[in-house]
Amino acid sequence: MIDATHDPKLTSWVASANGHRDFPIQNLPFGLFSPANEVPRTGVAIGNEIIELQTLVAAGLRQDSVTLDQVLATPALRKSLRQQMSQLLRDPRHADSAEPYLHSATDCTLHLPTHIGDYSDFYAGIHHAVTVGKLFRPDNPLLPNYKHVPIGYHGRASSIRPTDATVIRPKGQTKAPDVEAPSFGPSKRLDFELELGVWIGQGNDLGTPVDIGDAAHHIAGYCLLNDWSARDFQAWEYQPLGPFLAKNFMTTISPWIITPEAMAPFRQAQQPRPEGDPKPLPYLWDEADQATGALGLKLDVLIQTEAMRAQNLPPYTLSQSEARHMYWTPAQLVTHHTSNGCNLQTGDLLGTGTISGPTPDSAGSLLELSEGGKKPVILPSNESRTFLEDHDELILRARAEADGFVSIGFGDCRGHIAPAR
Amino acid sequence: MIDATHDPKLTSWVASANGHRDFPIQNLPFGLFSPANEVPRTGVAIGNEIIELQTLVAAGLRQDSVTLDQVLATPALRKSLRQQMSQLLRDPRHADSAEPYLHSATDCTLHLPTHIGDYSDFYAGIHHAVTVGKLFRPDNPLLPNYKHVPIGYHGRASSIRPTDATVIRPKGQTKAPDVEAPSFGPSKRLDFELELGVWIGQGNDLGTPVDIGDAAHHIAGYCLLNDWSARDFQAWEYQPLGPFLAKNFMTTISPWIITPEAMAPFRQAQQPRPEGDPKPLPYLWDEADQATGALGLKLDVLIQTEAMRAQNLPPYTLSQSEARHMYWTPAQLVTHHTSNGCNLQTGDLLGTGTISGPTPDSAGSLLELSEGGKKPVILPSNESRTFLEDHDELILRARAEADGFVSIGFGDCRGHIAPAR
């Protein structure tokens, strides 16, 4: 619902918020952070600062302290806190009482916002599915189930890390097609995957599916997600049970929870299915979800190599995509996941799958950008990349835009590749 | 290490323990239980009773109380508690002080022993892989990676339940080969899978693989695991990313943690690989693990239908297998899982995959027993089964046997099928 918190004329007494790329006063995402050497606490990103949720109590806007897990689990609480934070941050009379609760973001450490019980990763980017399908199965790129089933699989929760955590190049088994036996060593085809993450708010009981009309109410927010992938391991291990060690060495997320409320102005209709595509089964179909269930989000992938840093070259945009290239809405992912009675829990994370666009320069992975390693990408430093090299830094960014509204971002989802140990 | 706790002459003053199928004094598994209407506490199964760990403090054998998570995480603590519990339960002088801590198992509720952070399921039963592979891929039953890679995938932690939790028949998408479009409804091919579970004790840090020579020290115990499977969903959804909704509606485990110490007399050499099979890569190979890393365990699958209960027919043995049919040892599963730096955490659970024997009557699933649904299994009630029907009860049991030692069991892993909602 669009309300006063989305008013484009709103400004904050936190000066860095006004015109901020990611965190103007119209965003107000929740997260868990530590000021230097202090214990973790719940905060809201505002410009270049982070303000503690506790400031609402100090300002007399709330009676009670709440935890971030309560915020996640309780849509009404999440909405009211965002409203109150908007009030506090727009009204300069609160600046004095808030001052002890305001921290420069550069002095803070960001944590995962909650304990992630289960992490499931989908495959909702159809252009990715087709392009990668061609590489793995030239004669059969898009399997017959794709347009009927929101394909997904379980990922590893323990190795999810917030932005800026170092990505150690993994070792693993590979077998080139032209050799007899597999070998073990550092991945030679380390890749990123541009994804969105969907935070589960209210869970559902085991045995009780979430109706498609109700699914959006179970979503507490969004983040960026980089599903780092060792393509050489993946090709050798993934049949018949799917990717495992090719993925589970690390997943990086942007740790701010961008709420459905902040995203309200940027909802849009799901792209119509191309002529001839099947209509989803009724359990996955809701007119309201089709009308407003997609996200208007531009997605950027940037790289900065060691040589680029040495030459003071800024990060280079490898690719630009958009969330509208998802073949399924977030609500459809939630409903499909629970359709067999599987229970989602507060703090669970869903990945959308790689969101590639239809053109070569909008691909969400190097596997696609380099056409399976055959066509190197040339960087401004005159280096080339087919896959990631040690000391490369990879950054995902998201930008929600809509006419008449102030744009918001998600904060960076960044990883730095360290050599194999 | 074999020690006095394994002495076959040991008896307990808890009379029901002596000659008990599962829980003689030589076993002493740890678990989490609630006496009627009371809060959960850590206990040890002994015969038909459960004794609280706290009794060791009351008896003066320990100074401090410990949690089950501490027991899981700390091999030395686990070993010393088992020694102390053996002392207490063999010496009748402790009977009086222990009495308030002793509960009849039939009056207690068993819980999952710990929070399961991540659950990974392997595919280590080679006879299962070959037989099922033939059904899904007649021309290509065992994929080229199988004998090199301990194939595994991530499962769903949130839907793991202890024995006796009701299994609601899941709904989902299926598509028969002879129809145009998929449909949604209750599974018509609901199956069980006979597996062992491996509890992770000490974890490893992200980026730090567990060496094969050290892997056994990261295992805190074993359980039975039934990986309930909707074969009709699985056939339609599993490519290219593996099983998802076909499995994640429920997994049942036997909730007693059978310790490596209790299993010490039942370790055995890994079955030699058949002539012509490749030797595993060095990171998976350890002579000591090959010599003693396999488990001597007989595994039974029993079924009791509603009609059988009405006719007072006891559960019928559908299948008998053995843990030695695993192509990989538990240590190899742990080492492979961490070989890329993936971090295992205390309380994580690994499934072995379905442990079928080489003969038709030793298969660990109905998919195999009924040859893909083509050959019904006839029950003593003159009913037949290709897959599970509503109100069927399915029971997994394990029995460790070795010459000169008292046999131990794992306790039942049981599930009752309820109709789809």
Side-chain angles (χ1 to χ4, degrees), chain A residues 136-192:
Chain A
F136 280 78
R137 294 173 304 278
D139 51 338
N140 195 16
L142 200 63
L143 295 168
N145 53 19
Y146 187 87
K147 292 178 178 177
H148 298 278
V149 182
I151 294 291
Y153 68 111
H154 292 112
R156 182 83 197 171
S158 72
S159 54
I160 299 174
R161 292 290 180 276
T163 188
D164 286 327
T166 299
V167 182
I168 303 166
R169 180 179 298 274
K171 292 183 178 176
Q173 264 198 50
T174 57
K175 194 186 89 61
D178 56 344
V179 298
E180 177 80 9
S183 59
F184 184 83
S187 173
K188 292 175 181 156
R189 290 164 76 94
L190 181 59
D191 201 355
F192 70 90

Side-chain angles (χ1 to χ4, degrees), chain B residues 83-335:
Chain B
Q83 293 281 346
Q84 290 163 345
M85 197 55 96
S86 177
Q87 276 177 45
L88 181 138
L89 287 167
R90 79 179 76 144
D91 185 344
R93 287 173 298 181
H94 289 301
D96 281 350
S97 77
E99 197 281 331
Y101 300 96
L102 201 62
H103 306 270
S104 169
T106 55
D107 298 337
C108 295
T109 305
L110 294 174
H111 307 289
L112 292 179
T114 185
H115 169 79
I116 300 170
D118 278 287
Y119 159 51
S120 305
D121 199 17
F122 284 87
Y123 200 47
I126 189 167
H127 302 300
H128 171 76
V130 169
T131 307
V132 172
K134 275 182 194 156
L135 295 169
F136 281 77
R137 294 173 305 276
D139 52 337
N140 196 15
L142 201 64
L143 295 168
N145 54 19
Y146 188 87
K147 293 179 177 176
H148 298 279
V149 181
I151 294 292
Y153 68 112
H154 293 112
R156 183 83 195 173
S158 72
S159 55
I160 299 174
R161 291 292 178 274
T163 188
D164 286 327
T166 299
V167 182
I168 302 166
R169 181 179 297 274
K171 291 183 177 175
Q173 263 199 52
T174 56
K175 196 186 87 62
D178 56 345
V179 299
E180 177 81 7
S183 60
F184 184 82
S187 173
K188 293 176 180 154
R189 290 164 75 93
L190 181 59
D191 201 356
F192 70 90
E193 288 194 335
L194 167 65
E195 303 196 17
L196 288 176
V198 179
W199 290 105
I200 299 301
Q202 290 182 290
N204 63 298
D205 291 336
L206 189 64
T208 307
V210 173
D211 189 82
I212 182 70
D214 199 37
H217 303 300
H218 290 261
I219 296 174
Y222 304 92
C223 62
L224 284 160
L225 187 151
N226 187 338
D227 179 23
W228 305 100
S229 298
R231 301 299 181 190
D232 36 3
F233 307 171
Q234 188 175 354
W236 175 229
E237 78 170 358
Y238 92 106
Q239 286 193 317
L241 300 182
F244 187 45
L245 299 192
K247 305 275 195 173
N248 65 13
F249 58 93
M250 182 108 156
T251 302
T252 303
I253 63 169
S254 61
W256 290 107
I257 298 171
I258 312 296
T259 63
E261 292 66 57
M263 288 298 294
F266 312 107
R267 311 298 303 208
Q268 52 179 234
Q270 175 72 345
Q271 297 285 301
R273 294 189 153 209
E275 187 75 20
D277 278 14
K279 186 174 177 177
L281 285 168
Y283 81 99
L284 290 171
W285 189 260
D286 178 67
E287 294 293 345
D289 179 49
Q290 292 296 311
T292 65
L295 300 172
L297 265 179
K298 296 191 171 172
L299 304 170
D300 291 349
V301 182
L302 300 97
I303 191 171
Q304 193 183 39
T305 69
E306 197 170 26
M308 290 168 71
R309 286 191 296 276
Q311 298 170 47
N312 284 319
L313 291 168
Y316 170 73
T317 301
L318 271 179
S319 174
Q320 293 188 296
S321 183
E322 296 184 55
R324 68 189 173 87
H325 297 305
M326 288 169 61
Y327 195 74
W328 303 98
T329 65
Q332 286 175 317
L333 303 185
V334 167
T335 289

Side-chain angles (χ1 to χ4, degrees), chain B residues 332-380:
Chain B
Q332 286 175 317
L333 303 185
V334 167
T335 289
H336 182 66
H337 201 322
T338 64
S339 63
N340 66 346
C342 180
N343 57 326
L344 303 182
Q345 297 181 306
T346 300
D348 283 352
L349 186 63
L350 311 185
T352 56
T354 308
I355 305 176
S356 299
T359 57
D361 60 350
S362 59
S365 70
L366 273 165
L367 182 68
E368 295 160 88
L369 290 167
S370 74
E371 296 177 11
K374 293 197 296 282
K375 187 186 147 198
V377 177
I378 308 301
L379 304 180

